[in-house]
Amino acid sequence: MSAMMLAMFATMASFYVAGRLWQDAQSRVYLIKELDRRTGQGHSTISVDDTLKVVACRQQGKRLASLEMELAAAKHEGFVGKYTYETNGTNSRKRPLIVIGIMTSFGRKNYRDAVRKSWLPTGSMLKKLEEEKGIVVRFIVGRSVNRGDASDREIDEENRSTKDFMILDDHTESEEESPKKTKSFFANAAESFDAEFYAKVNDDIYINVDTLSAMLKEHWDKPRVYIGCMKSGEVFSESTHKWYEPEWWKFGDGKTYFRHASGEMFVISKAVAQFISINRSVLRTYAHDDVSVGPWLIGLAVKHVNEAKLCCSSWPSGNYASL
């Protein structure tokens, strides 16, 4: 009796297993036929990973074709480093070659007027300088410690007339804060203008913008560049000295500043200006703006260019840069 019962259970189990296998086989056949019907009769399918690879290759192919077209256009123009067009929908605009910030302050209108009469055009000619040569020029000034006072109102009124200011609302104007002012200028300029270069100039320096443009074209192949009259100098620890450095002890026993461009005028490239903009809150400023910029860049892969044309010793009488 036990043997018969065991044989019966074994037979029933065999029928059950065979039935399940047959059902699974039928399900697989149905799914395969349905997949073939949806993806194309009889065509083999590819995995998700393979599909993503194909899409990525197509995108790279389109990008490569676009770059080849840009390279052909550049060769056609002689590869002269002109500022480029940027297209956004139906609107197109030119990317500035350089943004020049002229450092000025309250009570220096005579200096600004002298600049306007010598090398900086006004009115429609200022706009033409931007559109045709890609050179944006602005006087840089902060706000008064007493916001809205006569000094602020005078600058606002002058700007309404000339439209050639960049007013730094986040900066309080004072001689002691000039390094922070330079940092604020580069940060705000990088956010406001997508230019290839950015320059800081004092308001008693006169330049030739055409010669400056020609000089900058020599450095288009350098993605991170710092151009100026490079120098070092003694760090003065005596509080009575004109160039006293409160943080003198940070520069070691030799008390010498890192290599930096002279503060009358210097130029940085787009990537460097963006670095300053992103890290403005943690970049330490020292007694002067030129010796502050040097330490910011000393640890970066930045090309330092010692440009003799930006050294005041090469300039003729007066403060006219030999550009």
Side-chain angles (χ1 to χ4, degrees):
M1 180 63 70
S2 298
M4 288 183 63
M5 292 295 293
L6 183 60
M8 184 181 298
F9 280 121
T11 302
M12 293 176 64
S14 298
F15 280 117
Y16 174 76
V17 171
R20 289 301 302 270
L21 290 174
W22 182 83
Q23 288 179 350
D24 289 345
Q26 291 297 312
S27 298
R28 286 195 294 272
V29 170
Y30 170 77
L31 291 174
I32 291 173
K33 289 181 178 180
E34 184 67 15
L35 184 60
D36 286 341
R37 183 182 69 81
R38 295 190 179 189
T39 60
Q41 295 291 342
H43 290 85
S44 62
T45 60
I46 60 175
S47 67
V48 173
D49 289 338
D50 289 337
T51 302
L52 292 175
K53 290 178 181 178
V54 170
V55 173
C57 287
R58 289 175 179 172
Q59 291 176 341
Q60 291 295 329
K62 292 179 180 179
R63 177 58 180 159
L64 180 59
S66 175
L67 290 174
E68 288 175 346
M69 292 177 63
E70 292 179 8
L71 179 59
K75 289 180 178 178
H76 179 70
E77 294 184 2
F79 211 79
V80 293
K82 292 182 179 179
Y83 53 99
T84 58
Y85 278 97
E86 289 188 344
T87 303
N88 181 13
T90 58
N91 298 322
S92 64
R93 63 185 178 87
K94 292 179 180 178
R95 172 182 292 173
L97 170 65
I98 186 171
V99 176
I100 301 174
I102 306 173
M103 297 296 156
T104 190
S105 59
F106 304 133
R108 293 181 68 87
K109 188 176 185 301
N110 290 340
Y111 287 85
R112 294 191 291 272
D113 287 340
V115 169
R116 294 182 182 116
K117 291 177 181 178
S118 58
W119 65 272
L120 179 61
T122 57
S124 61
M125 296 304 293
L126 178 64
K127 191 68 175 177
K128 185 177 180 180
L129 180 67
E130 298 178 10
E131 295 177 348
E132 295 188 357
K133 297 185 178 181
I135 299 175
V136 178
V137 186
R138 296 290 186 272
F139 287 104
I140 311 302
V141 67
R143 287 298 188 184
S144 171
V145 64
N146 301 311
R147 294 297 176 100
D149 64 4
S151 297
D152 277 350
R153 292 195 300 271
E154 288 174 3
I155 291 294
D156 289 336
E157 183 178 354
E158 184 179 347
N159 187 37
R160 280 192 292 269
S161 174
T162 60
K163 295 180 175 59
D164 56 6
F165 278 87
M166 178 186 289
I167 300 175
L168 305 175
D169 289 318
D170 61 348
H171 175 75
T172 299
E173 194 68 30
S174 70
E175 185 176 354
E176 296 76 16
E177 299 294 336
S178 63
K180 293 181 180 178
K181 180 178 179 178
T182 298
K183 179 172 67 172
S184 180
F185 157 63
F186 283 129
N188 282 278
E191 293 174 356
S192 302
F193 300 96
D194 184 24
E196 298 293 342
F197 298 96
Y198 301 82
K200 177 261 179 180
V201 184
N202 289 342
D203 63 3
D204 56 355
I205 303 297
Y206 307 138
I207 65 177
N208 184 315
V209 293
D210 292 326
T211 310
L212 174 62
S213 298
M215 182 197 75
L216 294 177
K217 290 174 184 177
E218 300 175 5
H219 304 291
W220 273 75
D221 59 334
K222 305 177 182 70
R224 295 172 298 278
V225 66
Y226 176 34
I227 309 170
C229 181
M230 295 296 167
K231 63 177 184 177
S232 293
E234 181 181 355
V235 178
F236 295 97
S237 57
E238 299 81 14
S239 59
T240 57
H241 197 280
K242 178 181 179 181
W243 308 114
Y244 169 61
E245 172 58 72
E247 303 280 351
W248 60 268
W249 60 275
K250 290 185 176 180
F251 293 91
D253 296 336
K255 293 197 299 183
T256 301
Y257 285 114
F258 291 118
R259 186 70 67 183
H260 60 275
S262 182
E264 288 83 6
M265 178 179 180
F266 59 86
V267 182
I268 60 175
S269 59
K270 175 181 177 180
V272 179
Q274 290 177 335
F275 168 81
I276 295 174
S277 177
I278 293 170
N279 297 281
R280 73 179 87 177
S281 63
V282 295
L283 291 176
R284 164 79 66 176
T285 55
Y286 296 99
H288 315 286
D289 61 352
D290 53 356
V291 299
S292 295
V293 177
W296 298 345
L297 309 183
I298 198 68
L300 305 180
V302 174
K303 176 67 175 179
H304 287 56
V305 177
N306 184 27
E307 178 54 68
K309 293 179 181 178
L310 298 183
C311 294
C312 57
S313 59
S314 67
W315 300 348
S317 58
N319 288 353
Y320 211 106
S322 57
L323 289 170

